[in-house]
Amino acid sequence: MLVSVTTLNDQIFTLEVSDELELENFKAMCEYEVGIPAREIVVMWNGRPLHDDKRTMKGYGIKDGDMLLLQHIRGQQGQQQFSDSSSSGVPNIDFGQIQVPGMMGATSSSQQPQQQQQQAVFPEDDPAAVRKLLLANPHELSLLKERNPPLAEALLSGDPEKFNKIYLAQRKERKEKEREKIKLMNADPFDPKAQEVIAEEIRMKNVESNMENAIEFAPESFGQVLMLYIDCKVNGHAVKAFVDSGAQMTIMSQACAERCNIMRLVDPRWAGIAKGVGTQKIIGRVHLGQIQIENDFLQSSFSILENQPMEMLLGLDMLKRHQCCIDLKRNKLVIGTTGTETTFLTESELPEQSRLNYNQPPSPKSVSLEDQQLAEALARSQNEAGAGASSSSSSSHSRSFPEPVIKELMSNGFSRERVIEELSIAKGNKEAALLALIAKAFKVP
């Protein structure tokens, strides 16, 4: 039979078990999934705890499709207290860890250095410390630049106040969403809104699983595709033209038209607005011009755009007129009317404007050393993500990390699965795991 299991940390999973499976063996299966020792697990069913480890699932009356709740009770003393409280119906809660205002001095001197050490290792409340750590780690900085451009822009702007403002606003929004979700789940798990939250959690887990499969089996889908450019000449001036079969007309930027000395032929009566992904102002049209591709001179018209970033774009009107064929197998553009072939430009030959199609903002004329380091770090992060996707599930690694460290990271709104995954990647380094969680978890508001 198939049973669903949930924890107080909103971790949900399903297990295929036998009717004759004893409770102690069921706890062992749950230990593998959640990383909690079986002796510290209490299984709740229909609001009551199950204590007889030798009793079978069928003996308890558990049926196919039932939901079980796992509670983490530390130590045998906690188990005994929980067992005693179940008979009276009132749970015995340990208030020893609760600190009452005004009684802070009652804590032992040995606990204070430990708390100070944890605050030094986990400076998530200190934007200045987080900013310093991110600037010192190009790997996490590249992830932040890819996944959260506003925060990365504030980080690289050199303005600490701007970074503090955006960081605290995004962290506050994330905390509020987590509190709302917990409040909604605790109120009534079967409420329609709570069911929507659960469905969204399941959907996002499926999305993450789909992405991991893509990283493992189709990593090329995460790479950048080079646009198709060719070398040509207009009025004797060299131009790198973008071949775009999805564009209706051939266009040229005003700056390129001035450089090629054809602005004198622009007819302003054809002025207007070009609409596509965005809008561009059309200054006018050159009704007849010549484009030299290899040794061929081809006739074409040009629509001149005022603020077009790329120099020239060969549209469908010119491609159909000359029966052009885009041969991706040989990486060539074939002119059907003349049989001439020209090779598409390689990545090193592409103009700077071609990088405007990437998620990254346009770089200056000369690529800085910082951008090169970020690009290399991004490539390393993609390789590490691919290696991590083929590894075993994060739950199997939870036993190798101290539980207080996992709980400390989870207290910031991160799920147990994400915390263990980042600790595994960071090889147990708490500071590196925190940086990775910050860089990956924050989304643009």
Side-chain angles (χ1 to χ4, degrees):
M1 62 180 178
L2 191 66
V3 296
S4 300
V5 185
T6 183
T7 66
L8 296 179
N9 294 328
D10 295 337
Q11 184 176 357
I12 302 175
F13 57 93
T14 58
L15 291 176
E16 183 74 28
V17 298
S18 171
D19 293 344
E20 303 300 327
L21 181 69
E22 296 180 350
L23 182 62
E24 60 180 357
N25 295 327
F26 178 77
K27 289 182 179 181
M29 296 175 64
C30 295
E31 176 184 359
Y32 178 79
E33 293 291 338
V34 299
I36 301 175
R39 64 180 180 276
E40 299 180 2
I41 293 178
V42 173
V43 181
M44 303 285 294
W45 178 64
N46 287 344
R48 62 186 181 90
L50 310 180
H51 295 298
D52 189 357
D53 288 342
K54 298 300 182 181
R55 197 170 179 179
T56 64
M57 307 294 283
K58 183 178 180 180
Y60 278 113
I62 299 175
K63 302 180 295 297
D64 183 43
D66 283 356
M67 172 70 77
L68 302 177
L69 172 65
L70 298 186
Q71 287 191 337
H72 186 190
I73 306 299
R74 298 181 181 275
Q76 296 180 355
Q77 181 179 0
Q79 290 273 11
Q80 182 64 32
Q81 292 177 355
F82 194 90
S83 176
D84 295 341
S85 65
S86 62
S87 60
S88 61
V90 180
N92 293 328
I93 303 176
D94 182 12
F95 293 93
Q97 301 299 325
I98 300 178
Q99 296 179 349
V100 181
M103 300 292 292
M104 298 298 292
T107 58
S108 62
S109 59
S110 61
Q111 292 179 348
Q112 292 179 355
Q114 182 179 2
Q115 293 176 356
Q116 294 176 358
Q117 182 180 2
Q118 290 180 350
Q119 292 177 358
V121 175
F122 301 98
E124 64 276 0
D125 291 324
D126 186 0
V130 173
R131 180 175 179 270
K132 182 179 179 180
L133 289 173
L134 287 172
L135 288 175
N137 194 324
H139 171 79
E140 306 303 340
L141 182 57
S142 65
L143 291 177
L144 188 69
K145 192 173 182 181
E146 178 187 15
R147 302 189 180 204
N148 194 340
L151 189 62
E153 181 183 357
L155 178 65
L156 298 175
S157 66
D159 186 357
E161 293 298 328
K162 182 179 179 181
F163 175 81
N164 295 352
K165 182 179 179 181
I166 296 178
Y167 173 80
L168 292 176
Q170 292 187 1
R171 189 168 183 270
K172 180 180 178 181
E173 181 181 1
R174 176 181 174 82
K175 290 270 189 184
E176 289 177 354
K177 289 182 178 179
E178 290 294 331
R179 283 196 295 266
E180 287 295 328
K181 184 179 73 171
I182 295 174
K183 180 179 178 181
L184 186 63
M185 294 293 296
N186 290 338
D188 184 6
F190 298 100
D191 184 77
K193 293 184 178 180
Q195 291 294 314
E196 291 179 2
V197 174
I198 295 175
E200 180 63 19
E201 290 287 335
I202 295 174
R203 189 189 71 85
M204 288 306 302
K205 287 185 178 180
N206 292 334
V207 170
E208 290 293 331
S209 176
N210 182 264
M211 186 182 72
E212 291 176 359
N213 291 333
I215 292 175
E216 181 175 2
F217 300 108
E220 66 277 3
S221 62
F222 293 89
Q224 296 288 355
V225 178
L226 300 181
M227 307 305 288
L228 303 178
Y229 278 82
I230 62 170
D231 278 327
C232 63
K233 291 183 179 180
V234 177
N235 200 20
H237 295 269
V239 176
K240 295 183 184 295
F242 174 39
V243 180
D244 186 3
S245 60
Q248 185 178 10
M249 57 188 178
T250 299
I251 62 176
M252 179 181 289
S253 67
Q254 181 180 0
C256 182
E258 292 174 350
R259 183 168 64 86
C260 296
N261 299 322
I262 60 174
M263 284 297 293
R264 56 188 174 83
L265 300 176
V266 175
D267 186 351
R269 294 175 297 177
W270 293 73
I273 299 295
K275 294 183 179 180
V277 177
T279 58
Q280 292 273 351
K281 180 181 178 181
I282 301 176
I283 299 176
R285 180 182 180 186
V286 176
H287 297 293
L288 185 63
Q290 283 189 337
I291 303 175
Q292 181 181 355
I293 300 178
E294 300 297 339
N295 296 324
D296 292 344
F297 291 86
L298 308 176
Q299 296 179 351
S300 179
S301 59
F302 306 101
S303 294
I304 310 301
L305 272 61
E306 184 177 29
N307 296 319
Q308 173 63 24
M310 60 186 64
E311 292 184 334
M312 189 171 70
L313 184 148
L314 301 181
L316 194 59
D317 57 344
M318 184 269 183
L319 297 176
K320 292 188 69 174
R321 179 182 304 168
H322 299 284
Q323 302 175 11
C324 297
C325 176
I326 300 176
D327 190 343
L328 298 179
K329 183 176 182 180
R330 297 188 299 147
N331 197 38
K332 292 180 180 294
L333 177 68
V334 181
I335 311 299
T337 54
T338 63
T340 301
E341 298 179 355
T342 183
T343 304
F344 292 117
L345 300 183
T346 61
E347 184 176 5
S348 61
E349 299 171 323
L350 292 180
E352 188 63 30
Q353 292 80 4
S354 66
R355 292 171 175 80
L356 295 177
N357 296 319
Y358 296 173
N359 294 330
Q360 303 289 351
S363 57
K365 293 183 179 180
S366 59
V367 180
S368 64
L369 178 61
E370 178 188 3
D371 289 337
Q372 292 179 356
Q373 292 175 346
L374 288 176
E376 293 172 359
L378 181 58
R380 289 197 301 270
S381 69
Q382 291 176 347
N383 293 334
E384 291 176 4
S390 59
S391 62
S392 58
S393 62
S394 60
S395 59
S396 62
H397 297 284
S398 60
R399 305 174 201 173
S400 60
F401 306 115
E403 188 67 22
V405 175
I406 298 176
K407 293 293 185 182
E408 183 70 23
L409 287 175
M410 290 176 60
S411 65
N412 296 295
F414 303 113
S415 66
R416 184 183 184 89
E417 184 176 313
R418 292 294 302 159
V419 168
I420 294 174
E421 179 182 352
E422 294 303 334
L423 284 172
S424 300
I425 295 175
K427 298 180 179 179
N429 189 313
K430 294 175 286 189
E431 181 176 322
L434 173 64
L435 282 175
L437 288 168
I438 292 175
K440 294 179 181 180
F442 280 132
K443 302 296 181 184
V444 180

